[in-house]
């Protein structure tokens, strides 16, 4: 509770405390709030740029199960939140942005940095409102958290006029008196799908010759990994994941296929699994957007297959594949489906389980054989496959892995193993902007300080956020950061070569010593040029008490397993 003579800023901090907020990502504005917040148990994680701060909040939300809070000033600072909030919107990450606005008497007078924040945030947030009356503060804070955490999670923006924050707090005007609910965890409200449709879905799966589950990021957001694993065991069902769904199932399980989609090009981990997808007659999407990358441009599944789609957002169901609609929370839907399947005759499913496990094992063995030379390559510059194999050998089931967009995501999805159902592999795949790897990892570390967090970035994306190395040191957020340093903007260069046989000038970088930059910030920096040096450097980074950057010199001509490169890269390698 705020003191009897509290200001609105103190009342705001008390409201956030009520919702379970213990961390706020902010560069000190709104200052009145950040000055008040420590007395309410809220730690400030001070980012260097709002772009990175929004990504930190996103990463925090995804791994914590809590609504994240980020703050910013009006005008240009607020504008820098647009891109990370767009990522959170598309990836369904619940973030509340507290944006200081100009003083109420100065509105529409061209005050300093005045901007139409409603127009600014309208396309990247579920909900945008401004508090103009102190007496309505609790109402609007609760609405912001409810918007962020209910239904399909996403960002909400609350605008706070500068002069309002310093006013005395007024008593809440709600009919029930002061608000007491805590709305800071998600899913806020779990809704179950229509029971009749669950029964119909169970009939489809039980009667299918080759059913398949495709798990997306919604499984993580719902906390549905255990329910998915139970369904997998109950009906002996093969499970593949989208890139954002990686870790939704234990990838060492004999019925887990791995990450599918546009990552299934030459040497892809699930490329040998393609025959299992080609024969699927019933496909169950669980918390998946059926987007372009996750479906290899909507070409991945047989045209004659029947589809079932579980999603909390009814507009996603049937967007790209007409499906039996199971609208609702993924955890409840998967539990209901498992219970319905128990009442079916699953003899056919279990009778074919041994052959299915053998087919999955054979596909895994083929991938290992096809890539053995690359994963053991002694070459310098280092092959990314060798680097990933060294990382995979040191990963634990409770480690959090964060990868930047572009090639970093492709390498980690294919060559790192999720060893537990629910293990988090965090990637910015909502709108897939590069540069968010490190800040997302810092947000994840702030949420899970006792867990090891490893982050993989390309040198192109890392350049977007070098400044946040200082944030990691100052805020005591030790992360093991692996930089794939090939001196090029890899995806851009390779895609241009494949498409046009030439590339633009901008894809070539000057030589950068990222380890030296890390040391200049007070962090640890290690340059890795030979494969034999990877393992000891990784052990040091994962055990360190401060951010440790491994600047790994990798091969420029290493094409990751993207379907887009199929049959087109031979003349460039």
């Amino acid at each position: 509770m705020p003191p009897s003579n509290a200001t609105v800023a103190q009342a705001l901090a008390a409201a956030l405390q009520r919702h379970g907020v213990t961390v706020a990502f902010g560069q000190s504005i709104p200052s009145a709030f950040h000055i008040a917040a420590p007395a309410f148990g809220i730690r400030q994680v001070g980012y260097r740029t709002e772009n990175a701060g929004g990504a930190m909040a996103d990463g925090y939300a995804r791994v914590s199960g809590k609504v994240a809070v980020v703050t910013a000033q009006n005008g240009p600072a607020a504008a820098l939140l647009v891109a990370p909030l767009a990522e959170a919107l598309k990836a369904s990450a619940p973030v509340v942005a507290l944006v200081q606005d100009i003083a109420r008497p100065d509105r529409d007078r061209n005050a300093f940095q005045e901007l139409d924040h409603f127009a600014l945030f309208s396309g990247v947030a579920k909900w945008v409102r401004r508090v103009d009356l102190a007496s309505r503060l609790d109402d609007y804070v609760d609405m912001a958290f409810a918007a962020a955490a209910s239904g399909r999670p996403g960002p909400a923006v609350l605008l706070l006029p500068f002069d309002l924050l310093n006013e005395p707090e007024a008593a809440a005007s709600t009919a029930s008196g002061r608000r007491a609910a805590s709305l800071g965890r998600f899913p806020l409200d779990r809704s179950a799908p229509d029971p009749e449709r669950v029964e119909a879905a169970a009939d489809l799966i039980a009667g299918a010759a080759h059913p398949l589950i495709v798990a997306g990021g919604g499984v993580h957001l719902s906390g549905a990994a255990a329910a998915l694993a139970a369904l997998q065991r109950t009906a002996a069902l093969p499970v593949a994941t989208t890139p954002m769904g990686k870790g939704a199932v234990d990838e060492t399980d004999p019925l887990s296929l791995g990450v599918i989609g546009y990552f299934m090009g030459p040497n892809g981990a699930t490329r040998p699994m393609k025959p299992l997808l080609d024969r699927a007659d019933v496909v169950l999407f669980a918390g998946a957007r059926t987007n372009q990358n996750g479906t290899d441009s909507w070409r991945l599944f047989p045209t004659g297959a029947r589809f079932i789609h579980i999603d909390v957002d009814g507009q996603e169901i049937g967007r790209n594949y007409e499906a039996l609609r199971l609208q609702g929370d993924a955890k409840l839907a998967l539990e209901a489906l498992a219970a319905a399947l128990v009442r079916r005759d699953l003899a056919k499913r279990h009778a074919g389980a041994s052959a299915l496990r053998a087919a999955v094992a054979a596909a895994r063995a083929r991938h290992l054989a096809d890539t053995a030379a690359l994963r053991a390559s002694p070459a310098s510059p280092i092959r990314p496959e060798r680097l990933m194999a060294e990382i995979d050998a040191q990963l634990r089931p409770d480690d959090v892995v964060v990868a930047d967009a572009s090639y970093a995501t492709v390498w980690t999805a294919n060559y790192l193993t999720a060893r537990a159902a629910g293990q988090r592999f965090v990637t910015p795949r909502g709108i897939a902007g590069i540069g968010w790897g490190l800040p997302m990892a810092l947000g994840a570390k702030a949420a899970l300080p006792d867990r090891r967090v490893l982050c993989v970035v390309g040198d192109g994306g890392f350049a977007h956020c070098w400044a946040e190395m200082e944030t990691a040191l100052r805020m005591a957020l030790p992360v093991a950061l692996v930089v794939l340093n090939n001196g090029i903007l890899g995806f851009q260069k390779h895609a241009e070569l494949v498409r046009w046989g030439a590339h633009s000038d901008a894809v070539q970088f000057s030589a950068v010593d990222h380890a030296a930059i890390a040391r200049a910030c007070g962090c640890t920096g290690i340059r890795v040029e030979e494969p034999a040096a990877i393992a000891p450097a990784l052990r040091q980074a994962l055990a360190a008490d401060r951010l440790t950057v491994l600047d790994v010199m990798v091969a420029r001509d290493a094409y990751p397993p993207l379907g887009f490169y199929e049959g087109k890269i031979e003349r460039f390698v």
Side-chain angles (χ1 to χ4, degrees):
M1 292 285 291
S4 57
N5 61 344
T7 64
V8 170
Q10 290 172 304
L12 174 61
L16 297 189
Q17 181 186 49
R18 171 165 59 88
H19 293 306
V21 175
T22 57
V23 173
F25 299 91
Q27 203 182 58
S28 292
I29 293 177
S31 300
F33 162 72
H34 281 293
I35 291 169
F40 295 87
I42 300 173
R43 176 195 181 199
Q44 178 183 358
V45 173
Y47 53 71
R48 296 298 292 259
T49 72
E50 287 75 15
N51 182 41
M56 290 178 198
D58 184 340
Y60 181 97
R62 293 196 205 189
V63 304
S64 68
K66 297 172 64 176
V67 177
V69 173
V70 63
T71 71
Q73 188 177 357
N74 52 289
L80 286 171
L81 278 182
V82 169
L85 290 186
E87 170 66 29
L89 181 69
K90 296 293 285 185
S92 305
V95 175
V96 169
L98 303 176
V99 177
Q100 181 172 287
D101 207 350
I102 61 168
R104 288 166 293 180
D106 298 337
R107 197 173 294 158
D108 296 324
R109 301 182 67 186
N110 287 332
F112 180 61
Q113 296 186 337
E114 182 177 8
L115 192 64
D116 183 348
H117 294 111
F118 288 95
L120 180 71
F121 292 117
S122 64
V124 297
K126 291 177 64 179
W127 181 94
V128 186
R129 296 291 190 280
R130 180 166 52 213
V131 185
D132 275 336
L133 297 173
S135 61
R136 297 297 309 281
L137 177 74
D138 266 355
D139 299 342
Y140 277 96
V141 170
D142 282 23
M143 282 188 272
F145 275 79
S150 64
R152 178 175 179 169
V157 179
L158 191 59
L159 305 175
L160 300 162
F162 172 77
D163 58 319
L164 173 77
L165 293 167
N166 295 308
E167 277 189 3
E169 180 204 12
S173 63
T174 57
S176 59
R178 181 171 293 282
R179 289 177 174 267
S182 183
L183 309 175
R185 300 198 72 88
F186 68 96
L188 182 58
D189 309 299
R190 292 189 186 271
S191 58
D194 183 336
E196 290 187 5
R197 291 181 180 174
V198 171
E199 296 296 324
D203 287 338
L204 272 180
I205 293 171
H210 302 292
L212 169 71
I213 299 176
V214 178
V219 172
H220 288 300
L221 294 169
S222 172
L228 177 59
L231 177 61
Q232 184 180 35
R233 292 191 300 269
T234 295
L237 295 170
V239 180
T241 73
T242 67
M244 285 185 64
K246 184 177 175 69
V249 288
D250 179 353
E251 290 179 338
T252 67
D253 187 283
L255 290 178
S256 294
L257 308 189
V259 177
I260 61 172
Y262 81 123
F263 292 2
M264 300 172 69
N267 294 324
T270 53
R271 181 181 177 83
M273 304 283 183
K274 188 65 166 58
L276 300 180
L277 305 186
D278 291 341
R279 72 185 191 186
D281 54 350
V282 171
V283 179
L284 167 63
F285 297 116
R289 293 177 296 159
T290 64
N291 67 349
Q292 184 172 14
N293 289 351
T295 62
D296 195 15
S297 296
W298 309 285
R299 299 173 301 190
L300 195 57
F301 306 108
T303 55
R306 299 282 301 277
F307 296 95
I308 306 164
H309 199 156
I310 297 170
D311 206 286
V312 72
D313 183 352
Q315 288 189 296
E316 290 299 338
I317 299 174
R319 179 189 291 272
N320 294 308
Y321 298 90
E322 187 170 300
L324 175 59
R325 301 173 61 86
L326 298 184
Q327 181 179 356
D329 173 72
K331 180 174 182 288
L332 294 185
L334 291 168
E335 289 174 344
L337 190 54
L341 278 166
V342 167
R343 299 190 295 270
R344 266 68 178 174
D345 181 1
L346 298 177
K348 182 169 67 173
R349 294 288 330 122
H350 290 286
S354 293
L356 178 58
R357 293 187 185 99
V360 173
R364 288 180 184 170
R366 179 179 170 187
H367 167 68
L368 293 176
D370 289 346
T371 61
L374 292 170
R375 289 180 292 107
S377 172
S380 178
I382 295 166
R383 288 289 309 191
E385 297 91 343
R386 171 66 186 270
L387 173 61
M388 293 299 119
E390 296 283 358
I391 293 173
D392 196 49
Q394 295 196 34
L395 283 184
R396 302 170 183 168
D398 62 346
D399 289 340
V400 176
V401 177
V402 181
D404 207 344
S406 195
Y407 278 4
T409 297
V410 186
W411 291 121
T412 57
N414 274 278
Y415 288 92
L416 301 186
T417 307
R419 291 178 169 82
Q423 183 174 2
R424 285 318 312 262
F425 286 77
V426 179
T427 56
R429 304 306 305 178
I431 57 171
I434 63 172
W436 290 327
L438 173 57
M440 278 188 159
L442 297 183
K445 187 65 178 179
L448 303 172
D450 297 327
R451 300 269 286 274
R452 301 195 312 181
V453 177
L454 180 136
C455 182
V456 179
V457 301
D459 52 345
F462 186 39
H464 288 227
C465 60
W466 286 338
E468 303 307 332
M469 287 191 287
E470 186 277 333
T471 300
L473 183 72
R474 172 168 39 88
M475 305 310 304
L477 297 171
V479 167
L481 179 68
V482 178
V483 181
L484 305 172
N485 187 350
N486 57 10
I488 59 172
L489 198 58
F491 204 162
Q492 192 65 32
K493 178 179 179 179
H494 292 164
E496 288 177 356
L497 283 173
V498 166
R499 252 184 230 276
W500 293 288
H503 62 77
S504 59
D505 293 340
V507 300
Q508 304 284 144
F509 298 145
S510 299
V512 175
D513 188 337
H514 302 96
I517 298 174
R519 292 192 293 270
C521 293
C523 302
T524 300
I526 303 171
R527 188 176 176 91
V528 179
E529 297 180 317
E530 299 295 334
I534 299 172
L538 276 171
R539 283 192 289 271
Q540 179 179 341
L542 289 166
D545 62 356
R546 65 181 59 196
L547 177 77
T548 299
V549 174
L550 306 187
D551 190 19
V552 184
M553 310 308 293
V554 296
R556 289 189 170 195
D557 61 351
Y559 284 71
L562 293 173
F564 172 65
Y565 295 152
E566 183 84 33
K568 303 173 184 176
I569 62 174
E570 289 75 15
R571 61 195 173 107
F572 301 114
V573 176

